[in-house]
Amino acid sequence: MTTNLMPDDRRSLTLRLGVLQYIVACTFALLAVGFWIFQIGQHEKFREMAENNRLRRLPLPAPRGVLLDRHGKVLVENQSTFNIALVREQTKNIGDVLRIVAFATGVDREQLEDVVNRRRREPSFRPIVLIENASEAQVAAVYARRLELPGVFYQQVPSRKYPASAVGAHLFGYVGEVTEPQLQRADYKDIEPGTIVGQAGLELAYNKQLMGVDGNKVVVVNSVGREIRPLEELPPTTGRPMQLTIDADVQKATEDGFAATGFDGAAVVLDPRNGEVLSFTSRPSFDPNAFTAGIDRSTWSALINDPLKPLQNRALQGTYSPGSTFKMAVGLAGLEEGIITPNFHVYCGGGQTFYGRFFRCHKATGHGSMNLAHAIEQSCDVYFYTVGNMLGVDRINKWATLFGLGVKSGIDLPNELSGLVPSTEWKAKYTREKKWYAGETISVSIGQGQVSVTPVSLAVYTATLANGGTRVTPHLVKAVDDGTGLKPVPAPKPQSQVEVTPEKLQAIREGMWLVVNGGAGTARRAAIPGKDVCGKTGTAQVISLQGRAAARTNRNLRDHGWFTFFAPRDNPEIAGVVFLEHGIHSANAASVARHILETYFAKKEGRPLPPPPTREQMRLDLSDRFARTGAGQH
Amino acid sequence: MFERRLYFHVDWLLLAAILLLAGIGVAMVYSTTYIITPTGGRAAQQVWTQSYALGIGLIALLICLAIDYRVFAEHSLFLYGSLLVLLVFVLLKGQTQMGGQRWIPIGPFHLQPSEFARIGVALMLAMYFGENRRGAKNTSDLVIGGILTGIPLLLIAKQPDLGTAVTLLPVFVGVAFLAGLRLRLLAVLAMAAVLAAPVAWKFALKDYQKSRIVTFMDPEQDPRGAGYQTIQARVTVGSGGLTGKGFRNGTQGQYKFLPVAHNDFIFSVLAEEQGFIGVLTALGLYLFVILRSLEAARLAKDRLGAYLVGGIISGFAFQVIYNVSMSAGLAPVKGITLPLMSYGGSSLIATLAGFGLILNVRMRRFTN
């Protein structure tokens, strides 16, 4: 049945088989060329793509350096929280994944979509944190659905933990994701989007040291994002622990004192010998813990829209009229310029006329004849009107500036404002009026008029009076751990060394001692037996600055109260200022200072610390002096 | 049944090349299906299945070698009919897996009749064209041959398994071409196919098939969807480089970035793990097998033998070329396996049986 091939057939078949062989050979050659192009020509490109395919690089965020107080007590530390993150590359349908994640965790789906959209331009293999600070239940819910959620995983991250009750919030500041404008800056060039950095306070000022270096974990994953095995791990380097000059107990005493009065304000307490800040407070405060996990919009807008401005650091950004606390500067200027002696007497009859205008003393019945020390003790306005008038504004400016008023203190916190002590030069340069009128000097002499200071600069001024003329630079860092233990950081150089005659300064101090310990002193409440506390009260009239029409609530009409202090008189080791915003009476500020001083000395001497004061113990004077006419200063 | 003298005429080189390719296939299946466990790893079940299939395939090869191919040809109509019955049976009672109804369970095995269709069709066509005494073939021969090919093709396409169905076309074209069909007719056929393409695009192709073709042209358009496989295939091949990443070290295949790596994309894994050198080696072996088989057709003593070899090897060559192109992302992704290497018992057994016939024709070139 078989049909053998005839010669003709054979020829034709051979020809056609040849054609087939030729086609196949050519096709194979083309295939080989194709593979050559991919495997040799474009090998690098594809090799890299394959690497990104299988490796998931997880950042291991570095814990920030802890903050310790001067005795080693932990103030700010880290805690572990969970983040739920997504690698888009390993997800086929992001919409579905987000829907399931939203359902499982109870987080609003639109919020998740927002997060993903914001990071849309980043490479798709970089993890996006969907939920920060996830609860254990949320982590468990996501883990249970891991098969439906390729590319979704959770990571443990350190986050900041601040003391409860917002203690020291303005001091420590807070942390948050690095912002777009920050990323543009040269000093942030090594920081990747999404990194947590300091955004205020010490966290911002010392961000570089506190931040540490993030680590990396590289894991091999399969195409659905499941981890197959870890490949390499570069552990994070923790930020440097820092020992602060802050004394936790003094800090707490300050906050407790404020809490007992119910007033807002600021306080700065330092060691006048070297500028170490012992406590630093601004109120109202906020909870920096709210920022660590990414602050939500409503909390944020509540903070920035609060009329009390809780985010403002009043201690270095609030500029207020110093009131009578300014009088020491005027007195010292008079002494040093040789215009008066400590025994220089002025008669106060309740007021005096200068340049055709009557300037009243806060004591309408008059103080009688007084020398410098008693003028400070009783805060006689007429005395300082007289001295200031004899000095002229420029010499007042010179001495006030030498002692640290109207200039920045140089404290190691961001965004300090400088305040103002006017001068003829200042007026010529910065105002429309240009010419200084001698009558203006009279108001300046008692710390009113254009004079404005920040609490921190007033603290420096007080410290300079206390230590004999060294304008120390307030600072907050005592030691830094560079990995081999805490290494002391040398104190910053004093801003200036003022040449003052000790006897002349002693007259000022004598007055300040009398303020607290004298029979007619204005701050006897601050006296502590055996400690020779020196101080000065000051009241800043709000109404004359802002005008009654601008003041909306009764609270806003009340005077600010100041109390500056140092102790002990002969060898001062603590100095500071308490500022009560709308605190009505400066004596109320003295009550807060007393608690601070009592705590400081009790701790130093190993006695039990005084308990937080009650409102009754504060013996607050709440009679609103504005209700009376003719408010003065004392 | 088996004459001793025939032993000397077996093409041992061809057989060796085939076995080498099948051996590489088992190794690659081992590599791509290897199971990693916390304590180490072990070979997957697929490796054993493939090894058993290789054994059964060799038996099938021996059977197809031992019986004179003319005996097969005499029973071609019966074999062809049985094939159609099986294909219909699959459609009615077959096992459904991965969206296709292709398997008949026989004990622990799953028989996939469509894989044997190429042999059945090649035998039928060789018989039809080979026993036709007229020198030149005319249009009616083409039509009849087309119908003989078209029936099983449609039955397989209906499973649906368009990939396997399409592999019947080169069998038909190969046999018809060798049978001396006028080139003009083939040109008309090709023209018709081109003209039919837009119609097929509109009516015959499913959306997913269209998107595969569109994304093949521009895979970046849908990198997570239909373009995914094409991109991953290129990455897999390209990342292999000259010498490859080493056995079982290919990350693309090992970590499942490439879907069904042990099946349709086994050549990609070979390219990734053995590099360009491995690719050239495998391509060389395949080319040798194809050219050597075409040589067997040339040496065949009768038209039946020549056409039978031509049909079988045309289907084989088409499959190899298409799969290899696809493996490098040079052709749209389609369910066409790489003969001798891809995981799949029926495919391996059918392919080896086919080579049994090819060796058979060459071995009996002197007998009469």
Side-chain angles (χ1 to χ4, degrees):
Chain A
M1 62 158 267
T2 56
T3 314
N4 283 347
L5 283 157
M6 299 292 109
D8 270 5
D9 285 350
R10 175 74 69 192
R11 232 188 2 259
S12 158
L13 187 67
T14 306
L15 183 72
R16 286 172 184 245
L17 282 170
V19 170
L20 282 186
Q21 281 175 322
Y22 182 76
I23 291 172
V24 168
C26 285
T27 311
F28 269 70
L30 283 177
L31 281 178
V33 170
F35 275 85
W36 189 87
I37 291 171
F38 282 164
Q39 297 197 282
I40 312 294
Q42 300 180 290
H43 171 58
E44 250 330 285
K45 168 184 145 193
F46 287 121
R47 191 193 57 76
E48 208 171 296
M49 285 172 81
E51 284 291 298
N52 289 335
N53 250 348
R54 81 182 165 111
L55 299 182
R56 180 194 285 159
R57 211 168 284 276
L58 300 173
L60 292 178
R64 291 174 76 84
V66 298
L67 298 179
L68 310 166
D69 92 332
R70 62 187 298 116
H71 301 298
K73 187 180 176 198
V74 175
L75 295 173
V76 177
E77 56 188 323
N78 301 295
Q79 60 189 352
S80 268
T81 56
F82 289 100
N83 282 353
I84 295 174
L86 165 74
V87 176
R88 281 166 298 162
E89 190 188 56
Q90 282 147 3
T91 306
K92 287 242 164 80
N93 189 331
I94 288 173
D96 277 357
V97 165
L98 294 185
R99 187 175 51 74
I100 298 169
V101 171
F103 173 76
T105 60
V107 174
D108 190 35
R109 186 176 158 191
E110 281 174 20
Q111 195 184 321
L112 297 179
E113 282 166 356
D114 267 4
V115 172
V116 175
N117 283 337
R118 247 185 293 144
R119 309 274 296 272
R120 199 176 28 203
R121 279 171 302 164
E122 291 175 28
S124 63
F125 56 81
R126 188 176 289 167
I128 295 178
V129 174
L130 291 178
I131 301 173
E132 262 173 304
N133 201 14
S135 68
E136 274 178 46
Q138 287 174 321
V139 171
V142 165
Y143 182 72
R145 287 173 177 77
R146 63 192 181 280
L147 294 180
E148 302 165 64
L149 298 172
V152 176
F153 61 97
Y154 62 89
Q155 49 184 160
Q156 205 173 353
V157 291
S159 77
R160 238 8 183 178
K161 188 181 171 196
Y162 297 95
S165 324
V167 168
H170 289 96
L171 169 64
F172 304 130
Y174 54 87
V175 295
E177 221 171 84
V178 64
T179 62
E180 272 299 320
Q182 282 172 331
L183 284 171
Q184 308 297 323
R185 282 166 39 184
D187 48 334
Y188 280 75
K189 68 177 189 321
D190 294 332
I191 292 175
E192 290 201 23
T195 306
I196 299 296
V197 297
Q199 295 292 13
L202 285 168
E203 296 277 23
L204 175 58
Y206 289 98
N207 185 54
K208 277 264 150 63
Q209 289 93 319
L210 289 173
M211 213 170 84
V213 182
D214 287 352
N216 252 320
K217 183 177 159 194
V218 182
V219 293
V220 180
V221 296
N222 67 7
S223 60
V224 292
R226 236 186 56 214
E227 288 184 22
I228 308 271
R229 63 191 163 91
L231 198 65
E232 58 180 40
E233 192 170 325
L234 181 68
T237 311
T238 309
R240 296 181 174 187
M242 278 189 175
Q243 184 169 39
L244 303 181
T245 60
I246 295 291
D247 184 310
D249 294 309
V250 177
Q251 178 75 32
K252 183 173 181 298
T254 311
E255 308 270 0
D256 287 344
F258 268 95
T261 66
F263 291 121
D264 294 329
V268 178
V269 179
L270 31 90
D271 184 334
R273 296 167 295 191
N274 53 22
E276 290 180 355
V277 178
L278 300 174
S279 95
F280 184 100
T281 298
S282 173
R283 291 172 72 95
S285 193
F286 59 92
D287 182 6
N289 291 300
F291 290 83
T292 56
I295 193 160
D296 62 273
R297 214 166 287 173
S298 64
T299 312
W300 174 250
S301 70
L303 277 175
I304 58 169
N305 293 324
D306 190 329
L308 297 180
K309 300 201 173 96
L311 288 179
Q312 188 199 19
N313 188 342
R314 286 159 164 77
L316 38 96
Q317 293 167 338
T319 54
Y320 312 92
S321 177
S324 300
T325 60
F326 195 66
K327 286 172 179 167
M328 286 86 81
V330 177
L332 196 70
L335 291 171
E336 287 294 331
E337 295 287 343
I339 285 175
I340 59 165
T341 65
N343 212 23
F344 177 74
H345 275 71
V346 170
Y347 178 80
C348 169
Q352 192 165 325
T353 304
F354 293 93
Y355 307 103
R357 192 185 143 197
F358 185 71
F359 289 84
R360 63 176 79 239
C361 186
H362 70 87
K363 187 174 180 185
T365 54
H367 290 98
S369 177
M370 14 195 47
N371 67 4
L372 177 58
H374 284 101
I376 292 174
E377 177 194 8
Q378 298 179 38
S379 205
C380 175
D381 291 334
V382 172
Y383 190 95
F384 291 97
Y385 292 150
T386 308
V387 176
N389 186 43
M390 290 156 74
L391 275 166
V393 71
D394 286 334
R395 283 192 283 194
I396 295 174
N397 170 275
K398 174 188 161 193
W399 287 94
T401 306
L402 279 174
F403 273 71
L405 296 176
V407 287
K408 290 184 186 178
S409 71
I411 190 172
D412 43 353
L413 284 175
N415 306 320
E416 184 184 3
L417 297 181
S418 68
L420 174 72
V421 177
S423 64
T424 52
E425 189 194 339
W426 165 79
K427 193 160 186 195
K429 220 171 178 176
Y430 295 105
T431 67
R432 234 179 346 170
E433 221 177 355
K434 302 216 182 291
K435 190 185 174 332
W436 183 266
Y437 294 100
E440 293 177 79
T441 309
I442 310 302
S443 295
V444 168
S445 305
I446 58 160
Q448 300 287 351
Q450 293 102 328
V451 189
S452 72
V453 298
T454 58
V456 69
S457 70
L458 209 49
V460 169
Y461 159 76
T462 311
T464 314
L465 292 172
N467 66 26
T470 306
R471 200 179 124 206
V472 292
T473 306
H475 57 279
L476 292 154
V477 176
K478 199 169 166 61
V480 175
D481 188 338
D482 60 357
T484 59
L486 288 165
K487 293 281 153 63
V489 174
K493 280 203 186 79
Q495 300 286 329
S496 60
Q497 187 74 46
V498 194
E499 292 296 329
V500 283
T501 322
E503 303 82 63
K504 292 175 178 172
L505 191 57
Q506 198 50 43
I508 300 289
R509 290 198 191 141
E510 177 66 19
M512 291 178 76
W513 183 83
L514 287 171
V515 167
V516 178
N517 303 287
T522 54
R524 276 165 291 170
R525 209 179 284 179
I528 299 173
K531 296 296 175 255
D532 281 335
V533 176
C534 302
K536 183 71 193 83
T537 55
T539 304
Q541 281 176 293
V542 170
I543 197 67
S544 62
L545 295 175
Q546 300 182 337
R548 187 167 209 167
R552 288 193 197 138
T553 66
N554 195 33
R555 176 187 178 277
N556 288 350
L557 302 176
R558 291 172 179 158
D559 293 337
H560 299 316
W562 289 104
F563 183 66
T564 74
F565 58 91
F566 65 84
R569 175 182 58 184
D570 295 328
N571 197 8
E573 57 193 60
I574 179 169
V577 60
V578 173
F579 169 73
L580 295 187
E581 193 177 65
H582 305 298
I584 312 176
H585 291 284
S586 49
N588 294 336
S591 293
V592 176
R594 181 198 165 89
H595 181 62
I596 296 170
L597 288 164
E598 276 188 327
T599 305
Y600 174 82
F601 285 114
K603 180 163 184 181
K604 189 190 164 199
E605 289 155 17
R607 287 184 280 120
L609 303 184
T614 62
R615 197 170 166 83
E616 289 68 41
Q617 284 166 338
M618 281 284 158
R619 292 188 291 152
L620 299 177
D621 183 350
L622 299 175
S623 60
D624 194 341
R625 55 184 300 115
F626 186 76
R628 294 182 296 161
T629 52
Q633 294 79 37
H634 63 94
Chain B
M1 191 164 79
F2 196 87
E3 301 166 62
R4 180 166 299 195
R5 63 189 173 100
L6 292 177
Y7 173 84
F8 298 101
H9 300 298
V10 170
D11 187 350
W12 292 107
L13 271 180
L14 178 59
L15 187 60
I18 291 163
L19 290 179
L20 205 51
L21 284 168
I24 294 172
V26 173
M28 292 322 295
V29 168
Y30 173 81
S31 173
T32 51
T33 57
Y34 192 80
I35 295 165
I36 298 167
T37 61
T39 52
R42 59 186 161 82
Q45 180 56 39
Q46 283 98 327
V47 181
W48 302 117
T49 309
Q50 186 77 345
S51 304
Y52 299 148
L54 182 56
I56 296 169
L58 286 176
I59 294 169
L61 182 142
L62 279 178
I63 293 169
C64 291
L65 181 67
I67 301 168
D68 194 321
Y69 62 92
R70 282 165 294 197
V71 178
F72 285 109
E74 278 167 26
H75 297 94
S76 61
L77 201 60
F78 169 75
L79 291 171
Y80 179 80
S82 309
L83 173 74
L84 294 188
V85 169
L86 277 177
L87 287 175
V88 171
F89 179 79
V90 164
L91 276 182
L92 298 178
K93 293 246 156 104
Q95 208 171 60
T96 305
Q97 263 180 41
M98 304 201 304
Q101 199 169 9
R102 302 169 191 172
W103 289 271
I104 301 173
I106 305 171
F109 297 106
H110 297 268
L111 182 72
Q112 192 181 347
S114 56
E115 289 289 348
F116 294 90
R118 276 186 301 280
I119 300 178
V121 169
L123 206 58
M124 189 69 229
L125 290 175
M127 184 68 190
Y128 173 71
F129 284 109
E131 292 308 302
N132 190 329
R133 292 197 66 92
R134 281 173 312 198
K137 304 296 181 261
N138 58 25
T139 318
S140 62
D141 294 321
L142 191 69
V143 171
I144 291 170
I147 290 170
L148 288 174
T149 312
I151 295 168
L153 189 149
L154 287 175
L155 285 172
I156 296 169
K158 194 127 174 56
Q159 288 178 357
D161 186 359
L162 206 57
T164 309
V166 162
T167 60
L168 294 183
L169 284 177
V171 176
F172 168 58
V173 173
V175 175
F177 177 69
L178 290 184
L181 203 69
R182 275 199 216 93
L183 287 178
R184 201 181 306 153
L185 266 176
L186 277 176
V188 168
L189 200 70
M191 192 69 102
V194 171
L195 289 177
V199 181
W201 179 266
K202 187 134 191 219
F203 299 107
L205 290 182
K206 299 216 166 61
D207 279 342
Y208 79 92
Q209 290 166 328
K210 286 186 207 171
S211 76
R212 269 187 190 173
I213 294 169
V214 169
T215 51
F216 166 70
M217 305 296 180
D218 184 11
E220 297 295 337
Q221 216 176 65
D222 183 10
R224 287 191 196 118
Y228 178 81
Q229 297 184 2
T230 301
I231 292 175
Q232 294 300 337
R234 287 180 196 172
V235 171
T236 308
V237 168
S239 63
L242 179 66
T243 53
K245 298 176 187 171
F247 189 64
R248 279 210 318 103
N249 283 330
T251 53
Q252 285 286 108
Q254 297 293 332
Y255 300 126
K256 316 280 179 235
F257 287 97
L258 206 54
V260 285
H262 60 288
N263 200 305
D264 294 355
F265 285 102
I266 197 149
F267 199 77
S268 310
V269 178
L270 176 87
E272 184 185 26
E273 298 190 350
Q274 308 303 329
F276 188 58
I277 292 171
V279 167
L280 282 190
T281 308
L283 282 182
L285 281 170
Y286 275 115
L287 184 63
F288 174 80
V289 166
I290 293 166
L291 296 182
R292 190 81 174 176
S293 298
L294 289 172
E295 185 66 11
R298 193 178 67 76
L299 295 174
K301 68 176 173 208
D302 53 13
R303 288 201 290 212
L304 170 69
Y307 298 168
L308 179 60
V309 172
I312 291 170
I313 206 63
S314 293
F316 179 84
F318 171 81
Q319 261 189 298
V320 171
I321 290 167
Y322 193 92
N323 181 282
V324 169
S325 306
M326 184 182 84
S327 299
L330 294 168
V333 175
K334 195 131 231 357
I336 293 177
T337 56
L338 180 61
L340 294 177
M341 271 203 209
S342 284
Y343 170 74
S346 299
S347 166
L348 185 57
I349 294 166
T351 305
L352 289 173
F355 279 110
L357 291 175
I358 291 171
L359 292 165
N360 190 339
V361 171
R362 184 183 174 110
M363 185 174 75
R364 292 192 163 81
R365 63 189 185 274
F366 305 119
T367 61
N368 207 346

PDB file of all heavy atoms in Angstrom, chain B residues 94-103 105 110 159-160:
ATOM      1  N   GLY B  94     -15.064  16.023  31.080  1.00  0.00           N
ATOM      2  CA  GLY B  94     -13.689  16.287  31.530  1.00  0.00           C
ATOM      3  C   GLY B  94     -13.615  17.072  32.829  1.00  0.00           C
ATOM      4  O   GLY B  94     -14.595  17.639  33.302  1.00  0.00           O
ATOM      5  N   GLN B  95     -12.433  17.043  33.377  1.00  0.00           N
ATOM      6  CA  GLN B  95     -12.225  17.736  34.636  1.00  0.00           C
ATOM      7  C   GLN B  95     -11.878  19.205  34.367  1.00  0.00           C
ATOM      8  O   GLN B  95     -11.106  19.503  33.458  1.00  0.00           O
ATOM      9  CB  GLN B  95     -11.071  17.080  35.380  1.00  0.00           C
ATOM     10  CG  GLN B  95     -11.197  17.231  36.869  1.00  0.00           C
ATOM     11  CD  GLN B  95     -10.154  16.395  37.556  1.00  0.00           C
ATOM     12  OE1 GLN B  95      -8.971  16.586  37.358  1.00  0.00           O
ATOM     13  NE2 GLN B  95     -10.602  15.445  38.347  1.00  0.00           N
ATOM     14  N   THR B  96     -12.483  20.033  35.154  1.00  0.00           N
ATOM     15  CA  THR B  96     -12.260  21.454  34.950  1.00  0.00           C
ATOM     16  C   THR B  96     -11.184  21.952  35.904  1.00  0.00           C
ATOM     17  O   THR B  96     -11.237  21.712  37.100  1.00  0.00           O
ATOM     18  CB  THR B  96     -13.557  22.232  35.188  1.00  0.00           C
ATOM     19  OG1 THR B  96     -14.560  21.678  34.357  1.00  0.00           O
ATOM     20  CG2 THR B  96     -13.388  23.693  34.875  1.00  0.00           C
ATOM     21  N   GLN B  97     -10.199  22.586  35.339  1.00  0.00           N
ATOM     22  CA  GLN B  97      -9.128  23.163  36.155  1.00  0.00           C
ATOM     23  C   GLN B  97      -8.672  24.442  35.503  1.00  0.00           C
ATOM     24  O   GLN B  97      -8.550  24.517  34.291  1.00  0.00           O
ATOM     25  CB  GLN B  97      -7.933  22.212  36.200  1.00  0.00           C
ATOM     26  CG  GLN B  97      -7.907  21.323  37.444  1.00  0.00           C
ATOM     27  CD  GLN B  97      -6.697  20.417  37.398  1.00  0.00           C
ATOM     28  OE1 GLN B  97      -5.634  20.844  37.027  1.00  0.00           O
ATOM     29  NE2 GLN B  97      -6.908  19.165  37.747  1.00  0.00           N
ATOM     30  N   MET B  98      -8.404  25.445  36.312  1.00  0.00           N
ATOM     31  CA  MET B  98      -7.867  26.706  35.811  1.00  0.00           C
ATOM     32  C   MET B  98      -8.675  27.246  34.633  1.00  0.00           C
ATOM     33  O   MET B  98      -8.129  27.686  33.628  1.00  0.00           O
ATOM     34  CB  MET B  98      -6.396  26.543  35.386  1.00  0.00           C
ATOM     35  CG  MET B  98      -5.552  26.007  36.506  1.00  0.00           C
ATOM     36  SD  MET B  98      -3.805  26.341  36.313  1.00  0.00           S
ATOM     37  CE  MET B  98      -3.427  25.657  34.741  1.00  0.00           C
ATOM     38  N   GLY B  99      -9.988  27.105  34.708  1.00  0.00           N
ATOM     39  CA  GLY B  99     -10.839  27.707  33.696  1.00  0.00           C
ATOM     40  C   GLY B  99     -10.935  26.921  32.410  1.00  0.00           C
ATOM     41  O   GLY B  99     -11.526  27.364  31.442  1.00  0.00           O
ATOM     42  N   GLY B 100     -10.335  25.734  32.371  1.00  0.00           N
ATOM     43  CA  GLY B 100     -10.432  24.950  31.136  1.00  0.00           C
ATOM     44  C   GLY B 100     -10.861  23.530  31.461  1.00  0.00           C
ATOM     45  O   GLY B 100     -10.575  22.995  32.525  1.00  0.00           O
ATOM     46  N   GLN B 101     -11.562  22.924  30.507  1.00  0.00           N
ATOM     47  CA  GLN B 101     -12.024  21.551  30.713  1.00  0.00           C
ATOM     48  C   GLN B 101     -11.182  20.681  29.804  1.00  0.00           C
ATOM     49  O   GLN B 101     -11.494  20.506  28.632  1.00  0.00           O
ATOM     50  CB  GLN B 101     -13.511  21.470  30.335  1.00  0.00           C
ATOM     51  CG  GLN B 101     -14.212  20.279  30.914  1.00  0.00           C
ATOM     52  CD  GLN B 101     -15.715  20.402  30.732  1.00  0.00           C
ATOM     53  OE1 GLN B 101     -16.181  21.288  30.038  1.00  0.00           O
ATOM     54  NE2 GLN B 101     -16.453  19.504  31.350  1.00  0.00           N
ATOM     55  N   ARG B 102     -10.072  20.153  30.327  1.00  0.00           N
ATOM     56  CA  ARG B 102      -9.088  19.554  29.434  1.00  0.00           C
ATOM     57  C   ARG B 102      -8.675  18.150  29.840  1.00  0.00           C
ATOM     58  O   ARG B 102      -8.003  17.478  29.092  1.00  0.00           O
ATOM     59  CB  ARG B 102      -7.812  20.403  29.413  1.00  0.00           C
ATOM     60  CG  ARG B 102      -8.071  21.806  28.985  1.00  0.00           C
ATOM     61  CD  ARG B 102      -6.868  22.679  29.215  1.00  0.00           C
ATOM     62  NE  ARG B 102      -7.251  24.069  29.032  1.00  0.00           N
ATOM     63  CZ  ARG B 102      -6.464  25.096  29.308  1.00  0.00           C
ATOM     64  NH1 ARG B 102      -5.253  24.888  29.768  1.00  0.00           N
ATOM     65  NH2 ARG B 102      -6.886  26.325  29.125  1.00  0.00           N
ATOM     66  N   TRP B 103      -9.045  17.721  31.032  1.00  0.00           N
ATOM     67  CA  TRP B 103      -8.429  16.509  31.535  1.00  0.00           C
ATOM     68  C   TRP B 103      -9.401  15.359  31.738  1.00  0.00           C
ATOM     69  O   TRP B 103     -10.557  15.576  32.098  1.00  0.00           O
ATOM     70  CB  TRP B 103      -7.748  16.800  32.875  1.00  0.00           C
ATOM     71  CG  TRP B 103      -6.517  17.633  32.720  1.00  0.00           C
ATOM     72  CD1 TRP B 103      -5.260  17.195  32.511  1.00  0.00           C
ATOM     73  CD2 TRP B 103      -6.446  19.057  32.758  1.00  0.00           C
ATOM     74  NE1 TRP B 103      -4.392  18.242  32.401  1.00  0.00           N
ATOM     75  CE2 TRP B 103      -5.092  19.405  32.551  1.00  0.00           C
ATOM     76  CE3 TRP B 103      -7.378  20.083  32.924  1.00  0.00           C
ATOM     77  CZ2 TRP B 103      -4.656  20.717  32.522  1.00  0.00           C
ATOM     78  CZ3 TRP B 103      -6.944  21.386  32.901  1.00  0.00           C
ATOM     79  CH2 TRP B 103      -5.594  21.705  32.692  1.00  0.00           C
ATOM     80  N   PRO B 105      -9.393  12.149  34.173  1.00  0.00           N
ATOM     81  CA  PRO B 105      -8.634  11.506  35.247  1.00  0.00           C
ATOM     82  C   PRO B 105      -8.556  10.006  35.025  1.00  0.00           C
ATOM     83  O   PRO B 105      -9.566   9.351  34.794  1.00  0.00           O
ATOM     84  CB  PRO B 105      -9.438  11.850  36.508  1.00  0.00           C
ATOM     85  CG  PRO B 105     -10.799  12.182  36.037  1.00  0.00           C
ATOM     86  CD  PRO B 105     -10.720  12.587  34.603  1.00  0.00           C
ATOM     87  N   HIS B 110      -3.799  12.496  35.021  1.00  0.00           N
ATOM     88  CA  HIS B 110      -4.808  13.257  34.293  1.00  0.00           C
ATOM     89  C   HIS B 110      -4.372  13.294  32.844  1.00  0.00           C
ATOM     90  O   HIS B 110      -3.357  13.864  32.512  1.00  0.00           O
ATOM     91  CB  HIS B 110      -4.900  14.684  34.850  1.00  0.00           C
ATOM     92  CG  HIS B 110      -5.345  14.702  36.266  1.00  0.00           C
ATOM     93  ND1 HIS B 110      -6.667  14.809  36.626  1.00  0.00           N
ATOM     94  CD2 HIS B 110      -4.652  14.629  37.419  1.00  0.00           C
ATOM     95  CE1 HIS B 110      -6.767  14.800  37.936  1.00  0.00           C
ATOM     96  NE2 HIS B 110      -5.546  14.693  38.449  1.00  0.00           N
ATOM     97  N   GLN B 159     -12.545  24.045  24.623  1.00  0.00           N
ATOM     98  CA  GLN B 159     -12.345  23.593  26.019  1.00  0.00           C
ATOM     99  C   GLN B 159     -12.333  24.705  27.067  1.00  0.00           C
ATOM    100  O   GLN B 159     -12.773  24.422  28.196  1.00  0.00           O
ATOM    101  CB  GLN B 159     -11.044  22.790  26.098  1.00  0.00           C
ATOM    102  CG  GLN B 159     -11.166  21.444  25.436  1.00  0.00           C
ATOM    103  CD  GLN B 159      -9.866  20.663  25.455  1.00  0.00           C
ATOM    104  OE1 GLN B 159      -8.840  21.129  25.903  1.00  0.00           O
ATOM    105  NE2 GLN B 159      -9.914  19.435  24.943  1.00  0.00           N
ATOM    106  N   PRO B 160     -11.885  25.846  26.987  1.00  0.00           N
ATOM    107  CA  PRO B 160     -11.168  26.408  25.850  1.00  0.00           C
ATOM    108  C   PRO B 160      -9.673  26.313  26.050  1.00  0.00           C
ATOM    109  O   PRO B 160      -9.178  26.563  27.131  1.00  0.00           O
ATOM    110  CB  PRO B 160     -11.606  27.858  25.906  1.00  0.00           C
ATOM    111  CG  PRO B 160     -11.865  28.129  27.360  1.00  0.00           C
ATOM    112  CD  PRO B 160     -12.138  26.815  28.033  1.00  0.00           C
TER     113      PRO B 160
END
